[in-house]
Every structure is written in structure tokens, then in C-alpha cells.
Amino acid sequence: MKNFRSFFRTGVIITLATLAGSAYSADEFEYHGYFRTGIGASEGGTDQVCYQLPRAGGNFFRLGNECGTYGELEFTKIFGDKNGTKPWFQASVLNAFTSNTDQSYEEVGTNSSMFLANIYIEGNGLLPGDAKVWVGKRFYQRRGIHMLDLFYISSAGPGAGVYDLDVGPGKFDLALFRSQQTNGPTQSTLDLRYDMKAAGDLEVVAMTTATGKRNGSTGDHEFEALSGNSLTLTHKMKSGGFSNTFAAQYGTGLLGAHKATPEGTSLNNYNNGNTVAKDNTVDRDAIQDSSSMRIIDEVMLEGKDYAASFVALYTSSDFGGAVDSLGSKVKTRTVTSFGVRPYYFLTDTQALAIEVGTTTYSNPWLADSATGSDKSWTLNHTTFAYNLRMSKGYYARPEFKFYVTRASWNDDASGVAASQNYSGTDGFSIGAQAEVWW
């Protein structure tokens, strides 16, 4: 009953906010959102199975490979005139929700969840140029690869900062985040960015983070202090229907690699939840000596009757001398992934799509077992889809997707590549999905 009341209150708030928006002009209230939902089934009469290797840091090759429902609803109130010469503010609230979509409804906390992702205020026109000041909790200038559902930069949480400061030939951004894990230490992170529009769009992101020794709630000394640094270079270029995004990342310490962290998450997000108990100097030193590097390249093509994307990813993680459950030194882990998704537009509203991708892990060591330390996992996806959509274009939405997915994996990946226990090394799924953003 408590979950029902919570869910009902949330629905009332969202409804009232939506109704309130109708009382304001377009420049005073904004409503944005995203959601995907659908149905699916897999062989043997099971519910839809999504094929994914553990610790991917994203949902690689997402077409026909997204189970359940996910959505975000954002409400923004504008104070002042966005197009005027005087300062103006915006207050934003974003709720995100997930659901297994197994029944006609699910109670929050059972097969579904809802959480507050954004609640912040941003001020414009308070400083020279286009600079913006913000305070609150938010998804902060995330950088992602759509086909992999991967945010390779994913700063988020409580913080404050300023961005789009005019400095030299580019824009400078500064943000400070501070968060606390449940019964854990506090963590402070400085996020610095510089963006230049010369020769395309070159962005440099430097992050430094540190956790304290004390429990943030009790003040007791319970943990070892940890720290980390990372550097990301992203270059984007566009010419006609061609665009390319190239990113190179390197991180150390908390932003490097750790046995309890999903593959790549340390590089994605400073707030990765790693802690080490007081006096455990072995794990502390392993984290501090760890490192990760990642290279990503994404190519997009747009034509009159077609669109396509190509992606390549390589990650290498050194665990800094950490040992597995048998006392052996953990080997360097690598992840290699390649994929392509072309569309052919039959009409303005109909399209055929195919997505083909392959991902290989070398030494896919797990924190609670040494069984994967000398193995290599390989997972292959192929999805065919018939799409009904708003218009032509790779990112045109809303869209209905009717798909067939086939996945296969090697013997080493048996038992880990699918959410159901398959006796063989391949799986088959069919389904329909609706997706929209606005």
C-alpha cells in the first residue's frame, strides 16, 4: 500500500505539472521526455531475453535488445525572457522510471522503480557572454554512443558549476560534485572541460576525484582514502551527410579499474561506488595503481533514402596488481566491439534496418571467482527490424520497431551472455518496441 501511495503521489505531481504548463506560454514552461517500451518473447516460450556480456558499461547493440520499459520526464519552468537581454533562470526537475512491463501494472519497488535524476536551477546572463551558472542535482553534459547505449562521460549527481565561459578560442566549463554512499564515505569530484570549435569540435575533459576516510553519516574512520584522475579527448566533425565522433580516454585510481566495478564504468562515471575498508592496504594499493584506457569511433551517414552508423570500441583495464580468489594476479582485461546499423527508407514513414555487432572480452575476470581469468568471451548480435516512424532520418522519432534478433556466443560465454539459462550457444527473440523523445 505504501508503494501504491508513493506511485499515486508521483502521478498526481506529474499530472498537475503538465496541466500547469498549459497555463504558461511556450517560453515560460518546457516539457521534455524520453521513453521506450514494448513486448517480446524468446525461444522456448520464455519472456524476452536480452543478450549482453556482464560488465559492459552499456547495452551494446541495443536494437531488438532492450527489455522492459525505461523513461524520463523533465519539467522546466522559465523565469524571465529567454530571448531578451536581461538575466533569466530555469528550474528543472527530471524523474526517471523503469519497469519490467510484465503485467498491466507494477508497484514501485517490486518490478518497477522511479527515481529523481534532476532537480536544479540554472541562471543565464549573470556573467559575461553565454556563461551559465547552476546548482543542484543533474545529469551533467553526458557524452554517449547511441548504438551501444553507452555514456562514455556520465557525470551526474549533486553539484554546482558554471559552463560556456568564454576563454580564448573556446568555452570553459567547471563543475564540482559531492556525493555520499549509503553508510560510506563522501566523494568530491572536480570536472573541468574546454571546448574548441576549430577544425571540427575538440573537447578536453579532465576529472579528479577523491573519497574520504570517514563514514559520511557517523564521522567514524572506517575506510581507506582513495583518489583518481582521468582525461578524455573528443573530436567531432561533420560535412554534409557525414559525421564522425572520435574519443580517447585514460583514467587512473578510482577512475581506472577495480574488481567490483563493471567494465568501463570507472571511466564513465566518477561516482562508481568503490570503497575499501580501513587497514585493507592491499585493495587500496591495487585501486590506486590501476588504470584504464578506451578508444571509441562512431561514423554517421545520412542520405536521401538511407542512414547508417558504424561504431568501434577498444578498452584495456589494468587492475593494478589485484589478486583473484586463488591468489593469482589479475590479468589485463580488454574489450573489443564493432557494429553497424544501416537504415533503408522505403517511404517517408517506413524503413528497414539491420544491426550487426560483435563484442569480445579477453580475461573476463569476475570479482567473486577466478573461473574467467583465462577465458575469452565473444557475443554476436544480428537484428532485422521493420520500422514505422515519423519521418526519414537516423534519429527520427516517434518510431515503432518490429524485430527479430539472433544472438550467438562461444562456449566460454555460456551461462553469462543471456539472462536465461540456455543449454546451447545461441538465442532467438522477436518483439515490438515503441520509442520516442521530445
Side-chain angles (χ1 to χ4, degrees):
M1 182 63 70
K2 182 178 180 181
N3 287 335
F4 175 80
R5 290 198 299 268
S6 176
F7 184 80
F8 180 78
R9 283 198 303 270
T10 303
V12 170
I13 292 171
I14 291 175
T15 301
L16 291 176
T18 304
L19 294 174
S22 63
Y24 296 102
S25 61
D27 62 343
E28 292 180 319
F29 181 82
E30 296 177 359
Y31 173 44
H32 303 286
Y34 166 84
F35 70 80
R36 61 176 182 262
T37 188
I39 59 172
S42 296
E43 57 187 301
T46 65
D47 198 1
Q48 181 184 359
V49 173
C50 285
Y51 309 99
Q52 198 65 243
L53 294 176
R55 305 171 182 273
N59 181 26
F60 286 15
F61 309 114
R62 62 195 295 180
L63 182 63
N65 199 37
E66 293 175 311
C67 297
T69 293
Y70 175 79
E72 299 175 358
L73 299 176
E74 182 175 30
F75 305 91
T76 299
K77 174 68 174 73
I78 306 299
F79 300 86
D81 185 359
K82 292 176 64 174
N83 300 314
T85 58
K86 296 182 179 180
W88 60 276
F89 286 75
Q90 66 180 49
S92 295
V93 176
L94 185 150
N95 279 303
F97 56 90
T98 63
S99 171
N100 290 348
T101 322
D102 291 332
Q103 303 170 5
S104 58
Y105 72 92
E106 293 91 16
E107 289 189 352
V108 174
T110 304
N111 293 317
S112 64
S113 62
M114 182 173 290
F115 56 94
L116 183 64
N118 284 4
I119 181 165
Y120 69 94
I121 295 177
E122 182 174 289
N124 299 259
L126 303 172
L127 298 175
D130 298 324
K132 304 164 183 65
V133 181
W134 66 274
V135 176
K137 175 183 177 181
R138 69 184 297 183
F139 292 141
Y140 178 69
Q141 301 196 65
R142 297 182 296 178
R143 305 290 183 257
I145 302 298
H146 176 76
M147 196 191 311
L148 303 181
D149 196 15
L150 171 68
F151 289 105
Y152 61 91
I153 295 179
S154 187
S155 296
V162 57
Y163 66 98
D164 282 349
L165 278 168
D166 292 319
V167 177
K171 301 283 189 179
F172 177 70
D173 309 335
L174 181 152
L176 178 65
F177 294 90
R178 185 170 173 83
S179 62
Q180 180 191 342
Q181 302 170 39
T182 302
N183 296 319
T186 57
Q187 183 168 354
S188 300
T189 301
L190 184 63
D191 183 317
L192 304 174
R193 309 188 185 199
Y194 191 68
D195 192 352
M196 294 178 289
K197 302 299 182 182
D201 184 351
L202 177 63
E203 181 184 56
V204 181
V205 180
M207 299 177 66
T208 183
T209 187
T211 62
K213 296 180 179 181
R214 298 185 179 278
N215 185 309
S217 299
T218 65
D220 296 334
H221 182 184
E222 299 178 11
F223 306 96
E224 290 292 319
L226 302 171
S227 62
N229 302 284
S230 71
L231 182 68
T232 301
L233 303 178
T234 300
H235 182 264
K236 297 182 179 181
M237 62 179 299
K238 181 176 177 61
S239 178
F242 169 84
S243 63
N244 184 78
T245 299
F246 174 82
Q249 298 179 278
Y250 182 75
T252 61
L254 272 175
L255 301 178
H258 185 240
K259 60 186 180 182
T261 301
E263 178 63 49
T265 301
S266 294
L267 277 170
N268 296 1
N269 187 354
Y270 72 90
N271 190 14
N272 49 50
N274 287 333
T275 61
V276 174
K278 179 184 176 182
D279 298 328
N280 184 351
T281 58
V282 173
D283 281 353
R284 179 201 64 192
D285 291 346
I287 291 179
Q288 291 301 119
D289 293 339
S290 72
S291 63
S292 285
M293 62 86 64
R294 178 164 54 200
I295 297 175
I296 304 171
D297 192 64
E298 180 188 48
V299 175
M300 302 286 295
L301 298 174
E302 295 268 4
K304 180 181 178 181
D305 295 319
Y306 69 89
S309 64
F310 307 85
V311 65
L313 174 145
Y314 176 79
T315 302
S316 176
S317 299
D318 182 334
F319 291 87
V323 296
D324 61 24
S325 59
L326 298 182
S328 301
K329 182 178 178 180
V330 177
K331 298 178 181 179
T332 297
R333 183 201 300 155
T334 64
V335 178
T336 306
S337 192
F338 301 95
V340 58
R341 185 201 294 184
Y343 286 89
Y344 177 71
F345 302 116
L346 302 171
T347 67
D348 287 347
T349 59
Q350 299 181 67
L352 298 176
I354 179 173
E355 184 174 272
V356 179
T358 182
T359 302
T360 298
Y361 282 22
S362 69
N363 303 318
W365 174 71
L366 302 178
D368 57 356
S369 172
T371 58
S373 59
D374 293 313
K375 294 184 178 182
S376 178
W377 294 345
T378 296
L379 175 61
N380 305 303
H381 293 87
T382 301
T383 297
F384 295 92
Y386 169 68
N387 302 325
L388 296 173
R389 59 219 320 274
M390 190 75 173
S391 61
K392 294 180 179 180
Y394 189 90
Y395 289 115
R397 300 294 188 275
E399 181 179 54
F400 296 122
K401 310 171 189 180
F402 305 91
Y403 58 83
V404 176
T405 295
R406 190 73 179 179
S408 62
W409 49 90
N410 64 347
D411 289 336
D412 284 348
S414 294
V416 298
S419 56
Q420 301 285 348
N421 292 322
Y422 279 82
S423 58
T425 56
D426 60 272
F428 174 83
S429 300
I430 60 173
Q433 184 188 61
E435 184 179 42
V436 62
W437 49 63
W438 66 94

Coordinates of all heavy atoms in Angstrom, one line a residue, residues 26-30 32 76-90 124:
A26 N 4.8 29.3 -24.4 CA 5.8 28.3 -24.7 C 7.2 28.7 -24.1 O 8.0 27.8 -23.8 CB 5.9 28.2 -26.2
D27 N 7.5 30.0 -23.9 CA 8.8 30.4 -23.4 C 8.8 30.4 -21.9 O 9.8 30.8 -21.3 CB 9.2 31.7 -24.0 CG 8.3 32.8 -23.6 OD1 7.1 32.5 -23.1 OD2 8.6 34.0 -23.7
E28 N 7.7 30.0 -21.2 CA 7.7 30.0 -19.8 C 7.7 28.6 -19.2 O 8.1 28.4 -18.0 CB 6.5 30.8 -19.3 CG 6.5 32.2 -19.5 CD 5.3 32.9 -19.0 OE1 4.2 32.4 -19.2 OE2 5.4 34.0 -18.5
F29 N 7.3 27.6 -20.0 CA 7.3 26.2 -19.5 C 7.7 25.3 -20.6 O 7.3 25.4 -21.7 CB 5.9 25.9 -19.0 CG 5.8 24.5 -18.5 CD1 6.1 24.2 -17.2 CD2 5.3 23.5 -19.3 CE1 6.0 22.9 -16.7 CE2 5.2 22.2 -18.8 CZ 5.6 21.9 -17.5
E30 N 8.6 24.3 -20.2 CA 9.0 23.4 -21.2 C 8.8 22.0 -20.6 O 9.0 21.7 -19.4 CB 10.5 23.6 -21.5 CG 10.8 24.9 -22.2 CD 12.3 25.1 -22.5 OE1 13.1 24.2 -22.1 OE2 12.6 26.2 -23.1
H32 N 9.9 18.0 -21.6 CA 10.8 17.2 -22.4 C 10.7 15.7 -21.8 O 10.4 15.5 -20.6 CB 12.2 17.6 -22.4 CG 12.4 19.0 -22.8 ND1 12.3 19.4 -24.2 CD2 12.7 20.2 -22.2 CE1 12.5 20.7 -24.3 NE2 12.7 21.2 -23.1
T76 N 10.5 21.9 -16.9 CA 11.3 23.1 -16.7 C 10.5 24.4 -16.7 O 9.7 24.6 -17.7 CB 12.4 23.2 -17.9 OG1 13.2 22.0 -17.8 CG2 13.3 24.4 -17.7
K77 N 10.6 25.2 -15.7 CA 9.9 26.5 -15.6 C 10.9 27.6 -15.9 O 12.0 27.6 -15.4 CB 9.4 26.7 -14.2 CG 8.8 28.0 -13.9 CD 7.5 28.2 -14.7 CE 6.8 29.6 -14.4 NZ 7.5 30.8 -14.9
I78 N 10.6 28.4 -16.8 CA 11.4 29.5 -17.2 C 11.0 30.8 -16.5 O 9.8 31.1 -16.4 CB 11.3 29.8 -18.7 CG1 11.6 28.5 -19.5 CG2 12.3 30.9 -19.1 CD1 13.0 28.0 -19.3
F79 N 12.0 31.5 -15.9 CA 11.8 32.8 -15.2 C 12.5 33.9 -16.0 O 13.7 33.9 -16.1 CB 12.3 32.7 -13.8 CG 11.7 31.7 -12.9 CD1 12.2 30.4 -12.9 CD2 10.6 32.0 -12.1 CE1 11.6 29.4 -12.1 CE2 10.0 31.0 -11.3 CZ 10.5 29.7 -11.3
G80 N 11.7 34.8 -16.6 CA 12.3 35.8 -17.4 C 12.1 35.5 -18.9 O 11.4 34.5 -19.3
D81 N 12.8 36.2 -19.8 CA 12.7 36.1 -21.2 C 13.9 35.5 -21.8 O 15.0 36.1 -21.7 CB 12.4 37.5 -21.8 CG 12.2 37.4 -23.3 OD1 12.2 36.3 -23.9 OD2 12.0 38.5 -23.9
K82 N 13.8 34.3 -22.3 CA 15.0 33.6 -22.8 C 15.6 34.3 -24.0 O 16.8 34.2 -24.3 CB 14.6 32.2 -23.3 CG 14.2 31.2 -22.2 CD 13.8 29.9 -22.7 CE 14.9 29.2 -23.5 NZ 14.5 27.8 -23.9
N83 N 14.8 35.0 -24.7 CA 15.3 35.7 -25.9 C 15.6 37.2 -25.7 O 15.9 37.9 -26.6 CB 14.2 35.6 -27.0 CG 14.0 34.2 -27.4 OD1 14.9 33.4 -27.6 ND2 12.7 33.8 -27.5
G84 N 15.5 37.7 -24.4 CA 15.7 39.0 -24.1 C 17.2 39.3 -23.8 O 18.1 38.5 -23.9
T85 N 17.4 40.5 -23.3 CA 18.8 40.9 -22.9 C 19.0 40.9 -21.4 O 20.2 41.1 -21.0 CB 19.0 42.4 -23.4 OG1 18.1 43.2 -22.8 CG2 18.9 42.4 -24.9
K86 N 18.0 40.6 -20.6 CA 18.2 40.6 -19.2 C 18.4 39.1 -18.7 O 18.1 38.2 -19.4 CB 16.9 41.1 -18.5 CG 16.6 42.6 -18.8 CD 15.4 43.1 -18.1 CE 15.2 44.6 -18.3 NZ 13.9 45.1 -17.6
P87 N 18.9 39.0 -17.5 CA 19.2 37.6 -17.0 C 17.9 36.9 -16.9 O 16.8 37.4 -16.6 CB 19.8 37.9 -15.6 CG 20.4 39.3 -15.7 CD 19.5 40.0 -16.6
W88 N 17.9 35.5 -17.0 CA 16.8 34.7 -16.9 C 17.2 33.4 -16.2 O 18.4 33.0 -16.3 CB 16.0 34.4 -18.2 CG 16.9 33.8 -19.3 CD1 17.7 34.4 -20.1 CD2 16.9 32.4 -19.6 NE1 18.3 33.5 -21.0 CE2 17.8 32.2 -20.7 CE3 16.3 31.3 -19.1 CZ2 18.1 31.0 -21.2 CZ3 16.5 30.0 -19.6 CH2 17.4 29.9 -20.7
F89 N 16.3 32.7 -15.6 CA 16.6 31.4 -14.9 C 15.7 30.3 -15.4 O 14.6 30.6 -16.0 CB 16.3 31.6 -13.4 CG 17.4 32.4 -12.7 CD1 17.4 33.8 -12.8 CD2 18.3 31.8 -11.8 CE1 18.4 34.6 -12.1 CE2 19.3 32.6 -11.2 CZ 19.3 33.9 -11.3
Q90 N 16.1 29.1 -15.1 CA 15.3 27.9 -15.4 C 15.4 27.0 -14.2 O 16.5 26.8 -13.7 CB 15.6 27.2 -16.7 CG 17.0 26.6 -16.7 CD 17.2 25.9 -18.1 OE1 17.0 26.5 -19.1 NE2 17.7 24.7 -18.0
N124 N 21.1 32.3 -16.4 CA 21.7 32.7 -17.6 C 21.8 34.3 -17.7 O 20.9 34.9 -17.1 CB 20.8 32.3 -18.8 CG 20.7 30.8 -19.0 OD1 21.4 30.1 -19.7 ND2 19.8 30.2 -18.1

